[in-house]
Amino acid sequence: MKSSRIIGLGHYVPENIIKNKDLEAIMDTNDAWIVERTGIHERRWFNPDKDTVANMATRAAKIAMERAKIKVSEIDFIVFATITPDYFFPGSGVLMQRELGLQGIGAIDIRNACSGFIYGLSVADQFIKTGMYKTILVVGAEIQSSAVDKSTEGRSSAVIFADGAGAAILRACDPAEGGILSTHLHADGDFAEELYVRDPGSSRKVRLSEELIKGPTFNLTMNGNAVFKHAVVRFSEVIGEALAANNMKAEDIDLLVPHQANLRISNYVQKQMNMPDEKVFNNIMYYGNTTAASIPIALSEAWEKGKINEGDIICLAAFGSGFTWASALIKW
Ligand code: UT7
């Protein structure tokens, strides 16, 4: 059986930088609170005249393909993780496919929020292991800034969530070369309403009305405390599961790339795993929480900074809406 390796990474973030000071002008918040509670200093918000979820993903994918030194035509399949697709349907996977000129190959969207990219990696890995495909493009892309309530009422979410895209090229390899060692996926729908956007949902008499648009159910709703408390437990648990499955210990991890939910969550997990600073990669300070895009953006940036080398053990872990949580252990 084959394994799958990541042979190229790329990311794209919108040019529009929103600093904490800029948020102070539109809602009752302040730089000190945001930095202390989240670690975020600035984030990117999309430009409606220029950026879409699909085209940001396309830009990230082109960089990943260039670095992988492959032609676009070598991609056999697309896995697109997003909870903020450009259309209600179809998904953004087919839109990116069209932009890349890859009409005809299969494309699926994955709607598993912050865990979406790891779920996507896992799906792609299974296709490669069975021999169905050889080269798969996996992306995570989001525009969250248009889903949050930017008034004081929505401030606890509005200061966190942001926009961007990241991409990885997976290719079949010999298991001796390393690659994805394991993925572990979990979900618990009991907590679906702790972090969600309710409308425009299909199980309503009318999907869209003026009343709905003005109401709170149209915006992202998050019980931040509940999400935080579950996240710190599940992150450590799912990383532990990955290590146990591969007969490894936390010391064996060369780089942990956690979903960038909140710097306090990453720091807490780091402490629980007893890992030194140089073995945990965080960039939430500059990009905020970009949901499904956060891990591929962080992975791509860590690679650019020379923090990922051949033979390294890289651990990815995520927790988010659903609740869903997941990990991937990779030998680079
Ligand atoms: O991506 C995966 C899913 N998301 C997450 O993992 C996020 C997890 N949750 C969190 O990161 C944190 O819960 C938040 C950053 C969202 C909130 O931090 P917190 O420490 O849990 O704050 P809190 O909601 O308990 O609020 C504390 C206080 C409140 O004031 P009072 O009631 O104590 O007077 C809030 O009204 O902070 C206030 N507050 C703010 N103040 C200034 C909430 N948001 C803000 C804000 N600026 N943006």
Side-chain angles (χ1 to χ4, degrees):
M1 198 161 62
K2 291 282 181 194
S3 281
S4 44
R5 285 177 63 210
I6 294 178
I7 58 165
L9 290 161
H11 69 277
Y12 171 84
V13 290
E15 287 158 8
N16 191 14
I17 299 175
I18 307 292
K19 294 189 175 288
N20 293 345
K21 285 266 168 231
D22 300 322
L23 296 179
E24 288 179 10
I26 56 173
M27 63 185 81
D28 180 14
T29 189
N30 59 81
D31 178 60
W33 190 96
I34 301 171
V35 172
E36 191 204 313
R37 299 295 180 113
T38 71
I40 300 168
H41 291 261
E42 59 189 52
R43 76 284 294 137
R44 305 296 178 102
W45 282 0
F46 83 121
N47 174 349
D49 296 327
K50 187 180 167 213
D51 302 311
T52 67
V53 165
N55 77 24
M56 292 194 304
T58 301
R59 291 179 199 130
K62 284 184 174 165
I63 297 168
M65 285 187 269
E66 202 181 301
R67 289 175 177 165
K69 299 190 177 61
I70 65 161
K71 292 196 284 280
V72 180
S73 58
E74 291 178 58
I75 303 289
D76 300 319
F77 191 70
I78 288 168
V79 181
F80 198 115
T82 186
I83 48 165
T84 54
D86 296 297
Y87 300 149
F88 196 78
F89 74 85
S92 288
V94 298
L95 304 181
M96 181 185 70
Q97 175 203 48
R98 182 172 63 190
E99 290 190 19
L100 288 171
L102 279 171
Q103 290 90 332
I105 66 166
I108 53 168
D109 274 37
I110 296 215
R111 292 171 45 85
N112 283 45
C114 306
S115 311
F117 182 76
I118 300 182
Y119 266 76
L121 269 190
S122 184
V123 167
D125 185 40
Q126 312 313 315
F127 278 136
I128 287 177
K129 276 187 179 138
T130 58
M132 184 152 170
Y133 299 119
K134 186 178 162 205
T135 309
I136 301 184
L137 168 59
V138 184
V139 304
E142 305 280 8
I143 291 177
Q144 289 288 0
S145 62
S146 57
V148 292
D149 171 5
K150 298 190 185 81
S151 72
T152 297
E153 220 171 304
R155 62 185 178 176
S156 63
S157 300
V159 301
I160 295 181
F161 291 106
D163 311 335
I169 310 291
L170 253 71
R171 173 154 277 183
C173 71
D174 193 282
E177 291 175 67
I180 296 178
L181 302 176
S182 68
T183 52
H184 290 92
L185 311 178
H186 298 279
D188 187 346
D190 278 353
F191 301 96
E193 286 78 21
E194 298 288 16
L195 172 49
Y196 77 136
V197 178
R198 182 176 180 269
D199 289 308
S202 53
S203 51
R204 232 79 60 224
K205 226 178 192 171
V206 188
R207 279 193 196 175
L208 214 55
S209 64
E210 262 182 54
E211 213 183 359
L212 260 186
I213 293 172
K214 282 190 208 133
T217 61
F218 209 67
N219 290 315
L220 187 150
T221 306
M222 175 167 76
N223 179 352
N225 283 310
V227 176
F228 194 102
K229 282 180 190 148
H230 281 84
V232 290
V233 174
R234 296 305 194 187
F235 261 107
S236 305
E237 204 175 270
V238 81
I239 295 169
E241 190 179 10
L243 291 171
N246 292 284
N247 238 335
M248 288 189 195
K249 296 197 167 65
E251 304 89 271
D252 296 318
I253 298 174
D254 293 297
L255 194 67
L256 171 66
V257 182
H259 160 55
Q260 301 293 291
N262 180 324
L263 193 60
R264 277 161 59 216
I265 295 179
S266 290
N267 290 344
Y268 189 93
V269 173
Q270 175 182 344
K271 216 168 149 193
Q272 275 184 322
M273 309 297 301
N274 203 13
M275 294 181 74
D277 288 351
E278 63 274 16
K279 284 192 169 190
V280 183
F281 190 79
N282 289 304
N283 61 2
I284 191 168
M285 303 74 92
Y286 317 110
Y287 301 129
N289 178 341
T290 56
T291 327
S294 99
I295 289 183
I297 292 173
L299 204 53
S300 170
E301 210 172 75
W303 180 84
E304 280 176 1
K305 290 180 190 289
K307 290 182 176 289
I308 301 179
N309 300 297
E310 211 168 311
D312 280 357
I313 298 295
I314 309 297
C315 184
L316 312 180
F319 178 88
S321 168
F323 290 149
T324 59
W325 60 104
S327 64
L329 204 66
I330 305 169
K331 183 163 194 247
W332 213 264

